[in-house]
Amino acid sequence: VAKVSPVFVGGTTIQNVTLHNMDEIERLGVQIGDTIEIIRAGDVIPKAVRVVTPGQTRRKITISNCPVCGSVAKRVGVNLVCSDMENCGGVNISRIKKWVAKRDVMFLGDSAVETLLSSGTVSSISDLYSLTVDKMVGAGLGKRMSEKILDEIQKSRTCSLPNLIGSLSLDMLGRSEASNLVGHGIDTLEKWKNLTAKQIESFPGYQEIKARRISESVRQNWGLIDSVSKCLT
């Protein structure tokens, strides 16, 4: 996201403009200090279209470290990601929120998740499955809301293998991709644990780079997959 001087566009004042990803930044050639043209894509999302005037003291947009934990930021495709995916608090918070959203855990919105995180009650996805009403009330949530949340968490324990793999925010592995691989015979956790890039490449539609990224993602996050799977039925 680019921070810009406040400007009135399409009926509202804009201060934040999407830059999408590193490929888009490079395509636009935009640098800090430039004057840019802005539109509201679909009359909603503020978007940079082009550089109108290069700034006199331009600075290239670079991100070398994760803003949350300070680990080195690495390029994966068009995205920049933290190199410490297992221990970064920012990655973990995002994963928990995405898991809650993908598993349709009602009543557990971002505000409630952040309350549980800031109190230290929850620090991982698997911690959600050891919650009690008393723990949630102690963290600062209301008793009635805590009871509703706990009921929804219990419902989410029933989870298919594609939904488990596809809800953990793993690189290249959404639910449809996970379902596709299960359909190719990777239908047990043991097979996922031993999955290799070579094996994935043998399936129709999988090239070397994609196969490698999937296998690396599973290998690097096996601890997460294993710990969450033990909470489910």
Side-chain angles (χ1 to χ4, degrees):
V1 175
K3 303 289 184 180
V4 299
S5 301
V7 60
F8 199 69
V9 181
T12 190
T13 299
I14 302 300
Q15 290 183 287
N16 300 306
V17 180
T18 183
L19 289 176
H20 297 288
N21 53 50
M22 292 306 295
D23 273 10
E24 181 70 358
I25 290 170
E26 290 165 2
R27 186 189 71 79
L28 290 170
V30 64
Q31 295 192 23
I32 297 168
D34 291 350
T35 299
I36 61 174
E37 180 181 350
I38 298 168
I39 64 169
R40 292 181 67 197
D43 293 326
V44 178
I45 302 170
K47 175 184 177 182
V49 176
R50 65 187 178 95
V51 175
V52 177
T53 308
Q56 291 185 345
T57 56
R58 304 180 86 200
R59 283 189 293 126
K60 191 173 181 180
I61 297 171
T62 58
I63 303 169
S64 56
N65 296 92
C66 170
V68 177
C69 73
S71 297
V72 173
K74 64 178 182 178
R75 184 110 171 226
V76 178
V78 299
N79 300 308
L80 280 171
V81 301
C82 178
S83 58
D84 190 2
M85 298 290 281
E86 189 171 348
N87 299 304
C88 177
V91 172
N92 209 25
I93 290 169
S94 178
R95 275 192 168 143
I96 292 170
K97 288 181 177 180
K98 286 183 179 179
W99 172 267
V100 167
K102 289 183 177 182
R103 299 297 304 124
D104 297 321
V105 182
M106 300 292 290
F107 308 114
L108 189 53
D110 284 356
S111 177
V113 170
E114 286 164 12
T115 295
L116 294 171
L117 286 163
S118 62
S119 67
T121 309
V122 166
S123 61
S124 66
I125 293 171
S126 55
D127 285 345
L128 294 172
Y129 295 94
S130 62
L131 284 173
T132 63
V133 170
D134 286 346
K135 284 182 180 180
M136 285 188 275
V137 170
L141 299 178
K143 183 178 180 183
R144 181 63 187 134
M145 181 56 69
S146 297
E147 289 171 345
K148 289 182 177 181
I149 291 171
L150 190 60
D151 186 48
E152 290 295 319
I153 289 173
Q154 295 308 316
K155 289 178 184 176
S156 75
R157 284 184 185 273
T158 302
C159 182
S160 67
L161 183 56
N163 276 336
L164 163 63
I165 300 294
S167 298
L168 290 174
S169 303
L170 305 181
D171 183 33
M172 304 294 289
L173 276 171
R175 285 180 292 189
S176 105
E177 195 69 76
S179 182
N180 193 40
L181 287 169
V182 168
H184 282 302
I186 315 304
D187 52 7
T188 67
L189 281 172
E190 189 64 24
K191 289 178 182 177
W192 276 95
K193 184 178 182 180
N194 297 315
L195 188 60
T196 65
K198 202 77 173 173
Q199 187 177 4
I200 299 170
E201 279 186 72
S202 71
F203 303 141
Y206 289 91
Q207 303 300 319
E208 179 186 355
I209 293 175
K210 185 175 182 179
R212 176 173 49 78
R213 284 176 62 180
I214 289 173
S215 65
E216 286 179 355
S217 183
V218 171
R219 185 174 65 255
Q220 291 167 3
N221 292 283
W222 185 253
L224 171 68
I225 297 169
D226 186 51
S227 67
V228 175
S229 70
K230 290 174 179 174
C231 301
L232 307 177
T233 56

